[in-house]
Amino acid sequence: MTQRHYLTDSFVTRFEATIVESLDHEGRHAVILDATYFYPTGGGQPNDTGTINGIPVLDVLTRPHDLAVVHVLKSALPTGPAHAEVNWRRRFDHMQQHTGQHILTQAFVTTVNAATVGFHLSPDTVTIDLDNAVDISQIQQAERLANEVVFSGLAVTAREIPRGELEGVRIRRIPEHVTGDTLRVISVGDFDHTACGGTHVANSGQIGLIKVIRADRKAGKTRIEFRCGTRALEDYSQRLDITQALTSQLSTGLAELAESVTRLQDDLKAQQRQRNTLAGELLHYKVAELLSSAETRGDTRIVTFADDSYSVAEMRQLAKQLTEQPGVVALLGIPGDRSNVLVMASAGSAVDARAVLDAALGVLGGRGGGSSAMAQGGGVPADIDSLRRALSAAVDSITS
Ligand SMILES: [Zn+2]
């Protein structure tokens, strides 16, 4: 079994050891050291990375049958002496998040009697799951207490306590999977005592800050997302960048930002309503204009119109209003990278909209379909001239 030195000192990042086994782990190169400071994935804390004799360590895990620590490497290394370096940035980040989690968990117990039933730590997020539905003011209460513990600079210590001597030690929770004669207990001053095999800071002040950034309540539970230390700082910087961009764009202060956005949304809605009213009125005139210039063939009035300022929905609305009149066939087009052709015929018309569309697509290209009353197609790039040529060919296909 590998000696796990990170249990006694989580601040050592360069060390000498001996590679006692060089192996293939599930198709990847790996080594086992006689002693290691590399933390293997476990207890909700991800593995360390780093190098051994200059070779990158990609993953670290515990081999189940003998509890040896397996270091998965980018390339093979022989047995013999090893110089190893742990990626301190990643390790210290895990120490900050993990110790912060101990404190926040205990803070929720102390303030609102909510127990942590889940913990997740990844490069992107840190969360705990509480067995209670807690509200914003309760979260703020717990967060305040957690940060008081951080600012108090309490010593964080690890002790191996024999099972027989556990009575009287106020341990928050003993994980069920932990067996063995002794229990490793992590204490944050006298604020929290937790059985844990992870890596922790030496003083609560090294966490810097614990900030809850999100809470999701679901089925009587609450998922609390938070950031500690450097992650909290990075989160603050990111939010500052965003709010500075917004306050500058809106020429407003941070305190007035939400109000400014609400006002902007209200303005936009009012303008949209006004635009819809005007568009409706304009459409009315457009229908009259197009009908007056329609080409008459027997009992049929043929309207052709192409314009790139219309949306498909607007063109459809125009076609609908045109064909509310009896005996109208509307051939409408929108040029662009994905051009559109719409053919609609009044109820009872002898003209088949599909056949007219096919004639247009014969010139334009593209595909489409529909019913005898309405057909739509296109999808190919077309400028206004080629679209007009296609509509003209379609008009020619209509027999009187
Ligand atoms: Zn821990």
Side-chain angles (χ1 to χ4, degrees):
M1 193 164 81
T2 320
Q3 287 182 52
R4 300 181 180 219
H5 285 334
Y6 62 82
L7 290 170
T8 42
D9 192 343
S10 53
F11 285 80
V12 171
T13 57
R14 289 164 182 231
F15 63 97
E16 309 298 324
T18 303
I19 299 173
V20 294
E21 193 182 335
S22 178
L23 67 152
D24 176 285
H25 178 80
E26 295 174 353
R28 297 195 291 174
H29 306 291
V31 293
I32 289 169
L33 307 176
D34 59 340
T36 191
Y37 282 90
F38 280 94
Y39 182 79
T41 298
Q45 184 179 328
N47 64 279
D48 285 330
T49 59
T51 57
I52 297 175
N53 289 345
I55 306 298
V57 175
L58 307 176
D59 193 7
V60 186
L61 51 111
T62 299
R63 189 161 64 183
H65 73 268
D66 62 354
L67 304 183
V69 176
V70 178
H71 306 74
V72 176
L73 302 176
K74 197 174 178 192
S75 53
L77 276 177
T79 54
H83 172 77
E85 292 186 16
V86 175
N87 178 341
W88 174 243
R89 198 182 151 83
R90 178 178 163 97
R91 156 66 77 77
F92 187 62
D93 169 53
H94 291 163
M95 285 158 58
Q96 283 187 319
Q97 310 310 317
H98 190 158
T99 317
Q101 178 261 314
H102 283 226
I103 294 170
L104 189 61
T105 284
Q106 181 58 42
F108 273 108
V109 173
T110 307
T111 55
V112 296
N113 199 28
T116 294
V117 291
F119 167 49
H120 176 73
L121 169 58
S122 73
D124 309 317
T125 181
V126 202
T127 60
I128 52 172
D129 294 325
L130 301 176
D131 68 348
N132 258 321
V134 295
D135 63 26
I136 292 295
S137 77
Q138 290 174 313
I139 291 169
Q140 287 171 343
Q141 226 182 316
E143 185 186 79
R144 210 173 301 131
L145 175 60
N147 283 293
E148 278 168 21
V149 171
V150 170
F151 303 152
S152 299
L154 303 182
V156 178
T157 54
R159 283 175 296 164
E160 292 285 346
I161 302 179
R163 287 223 170 230
E165 295 169 23
L166 281 174
E167 211 167 320
V169 182
R170 202 162 40 82
I171 297 176
R172 176 151 39 77
R173 189 174 66 94
I174 299 173
E176 284 159 21
H177 64 272
V178 174
T179 50
D181 302 335
T182 61
L183 201 63
R184 182 171 187 251
V185 176
I186 306 301
S187 298
V188 180
D190 199 30
F191 177 72
D192 180 58
H193 307 278
T194 307
C196 183
T199 55
H200 307 86
V201 296
N203 181 294
S204 64
Q206 290 167 332
I207 298 165
L209 183 73
I210 300 175
K211 186 77 194 99
V212 173
I213 60 164
R214 192 186 155 102
D216 286 322
R217 276 168 289 277
K218 205 168 160 187
K221 290 191 168 66
T222 312
R223 173 158 290 183
I224 301 286
E225 186 175 354
F226 61 100
R227 302 272 188 270
C228 300
T230 307
R231 287 197 195 195
L233 182 63
E234 284 166 359
D235 186 65
Y236 189 1
S237 298
Q238 191 190 9
R239 285 169 199 269
L240 199 62
D241 286 348
I242 293 167
T243 51
Q244 277 177 342
L246 289 176
T247 51
S248 145
Q249 276 172 38
L250 299 177
S251 303
T252 187
L254 186 60
E256 295 81 33
L257 187 56
E259 200 187 311
S260 295
V261 171
T262 305
R263 205 163 42 232
L264 214 57
Q265 282 175 325
D266 290 346
D267 284 354
L268 188 64
K269 275 182 210 154
Q271 287 190 15
Q272 274 168 343
R273 273 195 299 272
Q274 198 178 13
R275 182 189 175 279
N276 289 344
T277 308
L278 290 173
E281 284 173 19
L282 193 64
L283 197 65
H284 189 73
Y285 288 107
K286 194 72 198 173
V287 167
E289 184 205 320
L290 288 174
L291 283 174
S292 72
S293 61
E295 181 183 339
T296 306
R297 207 171 281 187
D299 292 338
T300 305
R301 282 181 289 171
I302 303 171
V303 173
T304 57
F305 176 60
D307 193 324
D308 65 358
S309 70
Y310 278 66
S311 70
V312 174
E314 286 166 340
M315 219 35 130
R316 214 177 253 262
Q317 190 60 30
L318 180 61
K320 199 164 155 265
Q321 291 203 13
L322 284 165
T323 54
E324 274 168 6
Q325 305 291 322
V328 174
V329 178
L331 288 78
L332 311 181
I334 308 171
D337 292 340
R338 293 172 56 83
S339 64
N340 251 284
V341 175
L342 180 65
V343 182
M344 209 182 273
S346 304
S349 169
V351 174
D352 182 351
R354 273 173 309 200
V356 177
L357 176 70
D358 285 346
L361 297 183
V363 174
L364 189 71
R367 298 201 295 184
S371 67
S372 61
M374 196 200 89
Q376 194 180 347
V380 290
D383 60 17
I384 190 124
D385 290 332
S386 52
L387 198 61
R388 282 190 180 131
R389 276 196 297 278
L391 294 182
S392 168
V395 171
D396 291 344
S397 77
I398 302 172
T399 49
S400 48

